């Protein structure tokens, strides 16, 4: 059974008097009389059976017990302020913030977001594109969890590349992922035209570092192993932490990029990029839609959640 707490007003009076070391200043802050502050503090001392102040003619001094308890009490009031603010903002159903990696935001979410905005003109969407934090070893559930918690501190929804192990949160798999080479159509012709995986030895390899950073295995290694191709030096070629930059290099014909084709869908459809080989290798990680359980009940979040799942299902069906 939870312990009974003393009066919140008494705790507020004590905290204010302790911070100012003055009953009069505490009274001004709390908009009450000095006598009321003194009464509340004495009531608290009687309730606890502990003296909180040494009282002198013109000064107050904290007792050892009060000094030890004060930091936790202030932390508790800070938590109450945050909780009240969350309750207040919970009803602001017309504003919603979505956090996602820059590549996903630019290459998958933004080409589709107009459909959500058209269907829900009453909702203001804020998209926060940010990089995931990487742990010391560059991968793992701990790093993923730290990212989700950090993103959800100031966002309603997070879309994350990872394994989906986020206990205590509402988690939905959004997209299963594969990896395959993509390149400019111009690399399919010429002296070293890409006709078989072995032809990659004649081309510069471009690297989307998502797999290496977060799963510990570069995309080129994943794909070449599945294609049973050896003798190609996967260490060569430029690396890109943002797939957006890697796609630009591939479209310019600089080289061949091993990446997630789901992020290149618009460019593949327009012919700016092509997939020279049929093999698409499934990845262990996927894109997940994550939010706190209480946030999921907000009308704006619920509407966005349903729309995003529908968009992902439409893409899978197509």
């Amino acid at each position: 059974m939870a312990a009974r707490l003393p009066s919140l007003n008494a705790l507020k009076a004590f905290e204010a008097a302790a911070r100012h070391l003055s009953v009069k200043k505490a009274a001004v802050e709390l908009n009450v009389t000095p006598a009321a502050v003194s009464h509340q503090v004495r009531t608290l001392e009687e309730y606890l059976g502990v003296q909180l102040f040494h009282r002198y003619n013109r000064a107050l001094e904290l007792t050892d017990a009060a000094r030890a308890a004060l930091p936790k009490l202030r932390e508790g009031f800070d938590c109450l302020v945050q909780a009240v603010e969350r309750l207040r903002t919970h009803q602001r159903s017309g504003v919603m913030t979505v956090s996602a990696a820059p590549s996903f935001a630019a290459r998958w979410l933004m080409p589709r977001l107009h459909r959500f905005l058209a269907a829900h003109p009453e909702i203001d969407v804020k998209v926060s594109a940010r990089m995931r934090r990487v742990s010391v070893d560059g991968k793992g559930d701990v790093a993923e969890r730290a990212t989700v918690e950090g993103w959800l501190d100031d966002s309603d929804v997070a879309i994350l590349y990872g394994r989906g192990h986020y206990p205590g949160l509402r988690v939905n798999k959004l997209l299963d992922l594969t990896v395959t080479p993509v390149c400019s159509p111009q690399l399919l012709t010429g002296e070293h035209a890409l006709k078989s995986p072995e032809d990659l030895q004649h081309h510069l390899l471009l690297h989307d570092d998502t797999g290496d950073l977060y799963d510990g295995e570069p995309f080129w290694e994943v794909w070449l192993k599945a294609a049973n191709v050896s003798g190609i030096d996967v260490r060569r070629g430029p690396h890109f932490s943002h797939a957006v930059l890697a796609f630009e290099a591939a479209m310019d014909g600089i080289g061949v990029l091993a990446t997630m084709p789901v992020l290149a869908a618009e460019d593949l459809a327009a012919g700016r990029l092509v997939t020279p080989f049929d093999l698409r290798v499934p990845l262990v990680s996927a894109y997940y839609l994550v939010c706190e359980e209480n946030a999921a009940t907000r009308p704006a979040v619920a509407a966005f959640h349903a729309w995003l799942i529908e968009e992902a299902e439409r893409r899978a069906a197509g």
Side-chain angles (χ1 to χ4, degrees):
M1 181 177 176
R4 289 184 57 197
L5 291 174
S7 161
L8 183 61
N9 285 336
L11 290 171
K12 286 172 59 180
F14 162 61
E15 191 278 332
R19 180 160 28 86
H20 294 292
L21 289 178
S22 168
V23 169
K24 289 184 178 180
K25 290 181 179 179
V28 171
E29 177 182 316
L30 299 175
N31 197 28
V32 297
T33 65
V37 172
S38 295
H39 174 71
Q40 290 286 3
V41 171
R42 290 191 182 281
T43 299
L44 181 61
E45 288 178 322
E46 292 173 3
Y47 179 90
L48 298 172
V50 175
Q51 185 177 352
L52 299 174
F53 292 105
H54 297 299
R55 295 169 174 85
Y56 303 105
N57 287 338
R58 294 182 178 275
L60 293 177
E61 180 182 324
L62 291 170
T63 63
D64 289 342
R67 191 174 291 107
L70 191 58
K72 285 295 183 182
L73 181 60
R74 286 174 177 164
E75 182 181 327
F77 277 121
D78 287 342
C79 289
L80 284 173
V81 170
Q82 293 174 21
V84 170
E85 182 59 24
R86 288 196 175 193
L87 288 172
R88 182 179 291 114
T89 57
H90 182 82
Q91 295 306 319
R92 298 174 191 164
S93 59
V95 179
M96 182 190 59
T97 302
V98 182
S99 285
S103 298
F104 182 88
R107 308 290 300 192
W108 196 92
L109 180 59
M110 297 311 298
R112 295 166 170 79
L113 189 59
H114 66 94
R115 289 198 281 267
F116 178 79
L117 299 178
H120 299 278
E122 77 283 3
I123 299 176
D124 292 329
V125 178
K126 297 180 180 180
V127 179
S128 175
R130 55 179 73 180
M131 289 296 290
R132 193 177 112 186
R133 287 191 288 176
V134 181
S135 63
V136 174
D137 63 359
K139 55 187 179 297
D141 290 349
V142 173
E144 285 189 35
R145 181 72 195 202
T147 297
V148 172
E149 291 176 350
W151 287 10
L152 291 181
D153 278 345
D154 54 11
S155 300
D156 300 293
V157 175
I159 303 170
L160 190 75
Y161 173 92
R163 307 297 177 89
H165 302 153
Y166 318 122
L169 299 172
R170 178 170 295 189
V171 181
N172 289 91
K173 181 183 283 189
L174 189 61
L175 296 168
D176 286 310
L177 299 172
T178 61
V179 64
T180 195
V182 300
C183 66
S184 167
Q186 70 190 58
L187 299 189
L188 301 184
T189 60
E191 182 181 358
H192 298 296
L194 279 172
K195 296 180 180 179
S196 69
E198 287 74 18
D199 294 326
L200 288 167
Q201 63 185 306
H202 302 296
H203 294 270
L204 187 66
L205 301 186
L206 307 177
H207 301 267
D208 172 357
D209 281 342
T210 303
D212 194 20
L213 285 172
Y214 304 130
D215 292 328
E217 189 172 15
F219 285 160
W220 270 119
E221 290 187 8
V222 170
W223 191 84
L224 290 170
K225 185 188 303 180
N228 197 27
V229 176
S230 60
I232 295 178
D233 185 2
V234 296
R235 296 171 298 177
R236 61 189 175 91
H239 290 250
F240 302 89
S241 60
H242 291 272
V244 171
L245 302 176
F247 286 127
E248 291 296 325
M251 283 187 283
D252 287 341
I254 294 174
V256 187
L257 172 67
T259 189
M260 298 174 283
V262 65
L263 298 183
E266 297 292 318
D267 295 312
L268 291 170
R272 292 184 291 268
L273 289 172
V274 295
T275 52
F277 314 115
D278 293 333
L279 177 63
R280 297 192 178 193
V281 182
L283 295 174
V284 175
S285 289
Y287 277 112
Y288 289 89
L289 176 61
V290 188
C291 66
E292 295 180 348
E293 288 290 349
N294 63 339
T297 63
R298 288 185 53 206
V301 175
F304 183 77
H305 186 282
W307 171 80
L308 202 62
I309 295 296
E310 182 181 345
E311 285 289 324
E313 291 174 348
R314 178 187 302 172
R315 177 235 162 225

